[in-house]
Amino acid sequence: MEGKIFKGAIACLMLGLSGLSNAGFITYTSTGGADFFEVPYGVSEIRVLAIGGGAGGANGHQGGGGAGYLSTGIFSVNAFDAFSVVVGEGGTGAASGSNMIVGLTGGETSSFGSLLTSLGGGAVTGINQGGHNGSSGGGAACNSGSLGGSGGSSGSNGQSCQSGDSMPFGFGQGDYTSLLSIFTESVFSAGAGGAGGTGSHAGGGGAGGILIDGLGISASDGLMSWSGKGGIGYGAGGGAGGLDFSVSDIRFAGGDGADGLVYVEWDSPAVSVSEPSAFLIMSLGLAGLAFRKKSKNA
């Protein structure tokens, strides 16, 4: 028993000297509506990442979907402040058909209260247009070629058609690597852009999104096995469907874009015991040990 009292005093002393930390993070994926984040007790600063939903891929030999735009920030807050959280869903790929674009939508906006907003990837609005714009751009389609352009990654533009007559590619927002360097609790990396499709009039690949600790989701490929591929990661763009006259005159459907995300992390200040308090803890422990000895000898 004496040993337990002494060890307890030492444990309390070490706890006071070492301090307590309360770091944490939370990831919001698609919710279909608004969610909320409440600042934990003792937290005065948060770091936030938002990426919008990826655009859907066009049908036919057109561009791949652009990735949702990405933004980050460090914000001063108070304990128990509440912020609405909206995660943008991925856009829908265009349906198969002739010289029309039906059902194609861009990605939805992600937001964290009024502090941070990230638009979704854009969608093309007309036949035979280029790749969609976003945090990374969609790949270009071929107007009589054999290999569409790949989607961009890490903020880059999409690539041109690899052979034949290339349509325009989508534009990215520029290298966003430095924006992700503020985070310490999770590792963020850029997902790869999807490969361009093959065929006589190939579709472009979707732009790449964001991975967390190497994991994430993917956008959808265009309808056919030779269509443009969807990008990898949250907020990635869908692959374009493409057109191959050896198969059909149909402009095949594009793939859906991937949902975006909102990520929040924080570091609470260390809670430590001052030197006088630590001395008091030790004194009380030793006093208890002495009292125990006296009681035993009485």
Side-chain angles (χ1 to χ4, degrees):
M1 186 66 176
E2 296 168 3
K4 291 182 179 179
I5 295 174
F6 182 73
K7 290 178 181 178
I10 293 296
C12 289
L13 176 61
M14 294 304 293
L15 184 61
L17 292 178
S18 63
L20 299 173
S21 62
N22 181 26
F25 64 90
I26 184 169
T27 301
Y28 296 88
T29 54
S30 180
T31 59
D35 207 333
F36 290 90
F37 170 78
E38 184 175 279
V39 178
Y41 175 76
V43 173
S44 60
E45 184 179 272
I46 57 175
R47 299 179 291 276
V48 185
L49 161 68
I51 183 168
N59 59 323
H61 57 299
Q62 301 175 99
Y69 286 93
L70 178 147
S71 56
T72 66
I74 302 175
F75 305 101
S76 296
V77 294
N78 298 308
F80 309 123
D81 283 349
F83 298 91
S84 63
V85 177
V86 177
V87 177
E89 296 186 349
T92 303
S96 296
S98 57
N99 288 340
M100 297 179 64
I101 295 180
V102 178
L104 176 64
T105 61
E108 296 181 349
T109 299
S110 292
S111 62
F112 182 79
S114 61
L115 299 180
L116 208 61
T117 299
S118 295
L119 299 176
V124 299
T125 57
I127 290 294
N128 296 347
Q129 292 188 3
H132 311 186
N133 300 328
S135 61
S136 295
C142 291
N143 187 21
S144 186
S146 60
L147 182 61
S150 298
S153 177
S154 192
S156 69
N157 299 332
Q159 296 183 12
S160 299
C161 172
Q162 301 301 297
S163 62
D165 183 14
S166 180
M167 294 181 182
F169 49 73
F171 292 101
Q173 70 181 65
D175 187 359
Y176 51 65
T177 305
S178 62
L179 299 179
L180 301 173
S181 64
I182 64 174
F183 300 103
T184 59
E185 301 302 308
S186 300
V187 177
F188 293 91
S189 57
T198 59
S200 60
H201 291 71
I210 287 292
L211 300 174
I212 305 177
D213 297 324
L215 302 175
I217 58 178
S218 299
S220 301
D221 301 339
L223 179 62
M224 306 300 284
S225 61
W226 38 261
S227 296
K229 308 304 180 184
I232 306 299
Y234 293 98
L243 168 66
D244 191 332
F245 285 114
S246 67
V247 177
S248 171
D249 288 343
I250 294 175
R251 295 172 181 256
F252 290 99
D256 295 341
D259 295 338
L261 64 77
V262 174
Y263 171 91
V264 188
E265 73 174 30
W266 59 90
D267 293 313
S268 289
V271 180
S272 60
V273 180
S274 63
E275 290 185 9
S277 298
F279 178 77
L280 178 61
I281 291 172
M282 176 63 88
S283 298
L284 289 173
L286 294 176
L289 179 59
F291 177 79
R292 179 65 181 173
K293 285 183 177 180
K294 183 176 180 181
S295 300
K296 185 176 181 180
N297 294 331

